[in-house]
Amino acid sequence: MKQLATLLFFITFWSQSMQAQTPEKSINYSNQQWIQYYNKLHFSEHWSLLTDGGFRTKDAFNSPSQYIVRTGIAYQLNPNLRFAAGFAHLGFYRSDSLSSMEFRPYQEVLLKQKVGKVSIGHRFRLEQRIFRNLDPAGGLSSTGDFNLRYRYRLFLNIQLWISKNTAGRKLQLNVGDEIFLASGKDVVYNIFNQNRILVGPTFKVNKNFGISMTYNHQFIGKNAPAEYNQDYVFWLGIKHTIDLRKKKGGNGLGNSDGTGGGKQDGSGGGTGRGK
């Protein structure tokens, strides 16, 4: 009994000591508005060019926050597996003036699966983040920070409605979560970089054009003890696909949309089967 009392006293003393050493959590709240354009350019059966650009504001569109421009090359191994690598450039604002920039090579793997009306996506992305401040004259500083960031996104795409009259027109509900972890000599307190909870609809006008409206509940760890940002983000996305792949004809086979040698119903010069 005496040993148990001693153990309980030690545990109580240790937990109180740890609480006294842990700084009180400090959270800064903000609202942000993101507008982003995404383009996917198919130029062969397996290869495509991925490009996106966007501008982000805060405080109800009153102050600029950052811009992003990104491009990459993607290889579609099969319908459910894609590899990509590319480069992103970002600029960050402070007091309405551009204050720093980021140069970000990245590599990613995207896995897809479908269960009934639900499409499930798993995206793994590795980023090499290079930061440079701007001097008063607007030039880049010669030194800066570097870290690695690891991202995993789980994304569910739920079919709500499909048009019977217009091919590719549909309404979808998107639900997802993305976690970010960081490492590097400049990362001290924010190994947990951020987490995004994503929910919102996407309306596809046709198979090549869609508009998404996403609510992003974003929680960010800062590189300081027990300091965090919590952002409430409205995210408007415009998604555009351009297909430059040549249509096959004369061999009796149609493409996945029924074009080429045969029609979708199998009439015409081919079987109507997709690739």
Side-chain angles (χ1 to χ4, degrees), residues 36 38-40 48-53 68-75 82-90 102-110 123-130 146-151 178:
Q36 203 142 344
Y38 301 86
N39 181 271
K40 184 176 184 180
S48 59
L49 182 69
L50 308 175
T51 304
D52 67 279
I68 178 171
V69 180
R70 177 170 42 209
T71 190
I73 192 78
Y75 179 76
R82 189 188 77 188
F83 300 93
F87 185 85
H89 169 64
L90 296 87
E102 179 185 349
F103 305 91
R104 182 196 297 176
Y106 75 92
Q107 305 80 39
E108 71 174 36
V109 178
L110 177 64
R123 189 182 71 184
F124 304 86
R125 179 179 286 179
L126 173 63
E127 299 172 331
Q128 299 81 42
R129 309 182 71 198
I130 304 164
F146 172 82
N147 64 61
L148 296 174
R149 190 163 69 177
Y150 315 87
R151 301 169 57 169
E178 185 168 17

Side-chain angles (χ1 to χ4, degrees), residues 5-6 8 47 53 58 70 74 109 146 150 154 206 216 226 251-252 268:
T6 302
L8 290 174
W47 293 95
K58 57 185 178 181
R70 177 170 42 209
V109 178
F146 172 82
Y150 315 87
L154 172 65
N206 52 51
N216 173 14
N251 57 4

Side-chain angles (χ1 to χ4, degrees), residues 84-186:
F87 185 85
H89 169 64
L90 296 87
F92 303 91
Y93 292 84
R94 180 179 299 170
S95 301
D96 295 341
S97 297
L98 196 61
S99 61
S100 62
M101 292 184 178
E102 179 185 349
F103 305 91
R104 182 196 297 176
Y106 75 92
Q107 305 80 39
E108 71 174 36
V109 178
L110 177 64
L111 298 170
K112 291 184 177 181
Q113 61 185 117
K114 193 165 186 177
V115 181
K117 294 184 178 181
V118 180
S119 298
I120 305 172
H122 306 269
R123 189 182 71 184
F124 304 86
R125 179 179 286 179
L126 173 63
E127 299 172 331
Q128 299 81 42
R129 309 182 71 198
I130 304 164
F131 296 93
R132 293 289 186 270
N133 291 324
L134 294 178
D135 58 34
L140 288 174
S141 63
S142 58
T143 60
D145 297 333
F146 172 82
N147 64 61
L148 296 174
R149 190 163 69 177
Y150 315 87
R151 301 169 57 169
Y152 166 68
R153 188 187 72 179
L154 172 65
F155 206 64
L156 306 181
N157 186 295
I158 305 167
Q159 300 288 348
L160 299 179
W161 170 81
I162 299 177
S163 173
K164 296 180 180 179
N165 301 317
T166 305
R169 182 167 295 178
K170 61 183 72 175
L171 181 65
Q172 306 165 330
L173 176 64
N174 304 315
V175 180
D177 186 271
E178 185 168 17
I179 187 168
F180 300 63
L181 302 176
S183 68
K185 67 177 184 178
D186 298 312

